[in-house]
């Protein structure tokens, strides 16, 4: 079961896709999951992923992160991203706008998304899970740090830019996160080279964050996304299995 709804973000309304188990839970409250997309956003692939996660017994909400710029339909690629020319054109337009969503800028949105998820009918009052992909992995850490008592688990997959020279680098802002963090990095990821993987692991440990971090061999940045050339079926299935196990351990009602 799924629907697209309108929710309040920090600076206006945005769309959100909500997926529930089918058949319905029959009045039983279910754990909530906030799904934070990559820069390509809310589209067929991320809706299908949300449906699969919902089938495990969760209510999953996928907000349109880029409402400041356009609707979800207008933001989504108009052409097949398996085509090199289409990819180049999409990312050339999307990346400069996405970079304006700095950690401080986007945090009020993330809190609003979390509140909207928790207010959905049928969502239990227990802490939720958050899963994030590419830039969504960074955002997942951000919301877990902002509302530690409300987030029990974070899954982050092929998340780039976790270690930078900036003062707002994600690896510098992990203290206070109470969630269990599962990170599965891509072996061939220019946005997170192996030295950065080691630095991020050290930062998690030093900050006292309970975590499990691995690198999937042979996988590239974007390995979960079947609408990209980087898709790696085995790595994607591994991510689903590990995420399901994480949520089973941490979100049980």
């Amino acid at each position: 079961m799924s629907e697209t709804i309108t929710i309040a973000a920090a600076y206006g309304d945005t769309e959100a896709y909500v997926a529930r188990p089918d058949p319905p839970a029959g009045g039983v409250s279910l754990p909530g999951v906030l799904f934070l997309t990559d820069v390509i956003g809310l589209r067929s692939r991320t809706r299908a992923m949300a449906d699969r996660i919902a089938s495990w017994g969760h209510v999953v909400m996928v907000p349109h992160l880029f409402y400041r710029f356009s609707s979800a339909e207008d933001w989504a690629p108009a052409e097949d991203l398996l085509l090199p020319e289409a990819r180049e054109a999409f990312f050339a337009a999307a990346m400069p706008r996405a970079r304006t969503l700095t950690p401080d800028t986007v945090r009020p949105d993330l809190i609003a998304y979390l509140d909207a998820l928790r207010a959905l009918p049928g969502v239990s009052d227990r802490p939720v899970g958050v899963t994030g992909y590419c830039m969504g992995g960074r955002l997942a850490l951000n919301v877990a740090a902002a509302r530690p008592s409300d987030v029990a688990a974070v899954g982050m997959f092929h998340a780039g830019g976790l270690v930078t020279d900036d003062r707002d680098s994600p690896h510098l802002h992990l203290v206070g996160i109470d969630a269990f963090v599962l990170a599965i990095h891509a072996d061939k990821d220019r946005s997170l080279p192996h030295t950065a993987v080691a630095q991020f692991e050290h930062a998690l440990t030093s900050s006292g964050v309970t975590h499990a971090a691995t690198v999937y061999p042979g996988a590239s940045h974007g390995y979960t996304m079947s609408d990209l050339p980087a898709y790696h079926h085995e790595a994607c299935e591994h991510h689903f299995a590990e995420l399901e196990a994480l949520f089973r351990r941490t979100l049980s009602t």
Side-chain angles (χ1 to χ4, degrees):
M1 296 179 60
S2 64
E3 61 180 333
T4 299
I5 64 173
T6 299
I7 61 172
Y11 303 102
D13 290 342
T14 189
E15 302 147 84
Y17 179 77
V18 177
R20 300 174 184 273
D22 192 12
V28 177
S29 295
L30 299 174
V33 172
L34 181 63
F35 184 125
L36 299 172
T37 70
D38 56 12
V39 72
I40 309 170
L42 179 57
R43 60 198 192 278
S44 177
R45 173 56 180 167
T46 47
R47 290 185 182 96
M49 293 170 74
D51 290 343
R52 181 164 174 178
I53 295 169
S55 74
W56 305 337
H58 309 305
V59 178
V60 184
M61 191 182 80
V62 192
H64 171 50
L65 304 176
F66 308 105
Y67 70 93
R68 290 173 173 82
F69 309 104
S70 69
S71 67
E73 182 178 0
D74 289 341
W75 181 271
E79 298 184 76
D80 188 347
L81 292 185
L82 295 176
L83 301 172
E85 300 83 0
R87 283 199 309 281
E88 182 178 353
F90 175 82
F91 286 113
M95 290 304 295
R97 293 183 290 176
R99 290 190 184 104
T100 67
L101 301 183
T102 64
D104 289 342
T105 300
V106 79
R107 181 170 281 199
D109 283 335
L110 296 173
I111 292 171
Y113 302 150
L114 183 60
D115 288 341
L117 169 66
R118 294 181 63 83
L120 289 175
V123 174
S124 75
D125 58 4
R126 295 175 58 86
V128 306
V130 184
T131 186
Y133 302 85
C134 303
M135 67 171 283
R138 300 194 300 272
L139 300 183
L141 291 175
N142 193 326
V143 71
R147 295 278 285 271
S149 63
D150 287 334
V151 179
V154 167
M156 47 190 304
F157 307 98
H158 47 83
L162 297 176
V163 177
T164 72
D165 294 329
D166 298 333
R167 65 173 182 82
D168 60 0
S169 176
H171 82 291
L172 300 177
H173 300 278
L174 301 173
V175 174
I177 292 177
D178 288 337
F180 188 105
V181 173
L182 168 69
I184 304 180
H185 307 297
D187 183 32
K188 299 183 291 184
D189 192 341
R190 289 180 295 178
S191 67
L192 195 74
H194 288 195
T195 54
V197 169
Q199 287 177 271
F200 182 63
E201 170 86 12
H202 177 73
L204 286 168
T205 301
S206 299
S207 301
V209 178
T210 306
H211 67 279
T214 57
V215 177
Y216 198 93
S220 300
H221 185 77
Y223 65 78
T224 63
M225 300 297 163
S226 60
D227 53 0
L228 292 174
Y231 180 65
H232 187 302
H233 181 73
E234 291 78 12
C236 181
E237 290 302 307
H238 175 72
H239 124 271
F240 276 124
E242 292 295 307
L243 185 63
E244 182 178 9
L246 171 68
F247 286 166
R248 188 184 307 116
R249 293 195 309 269
T250 57
L251 305 185
S252 57
T253 56

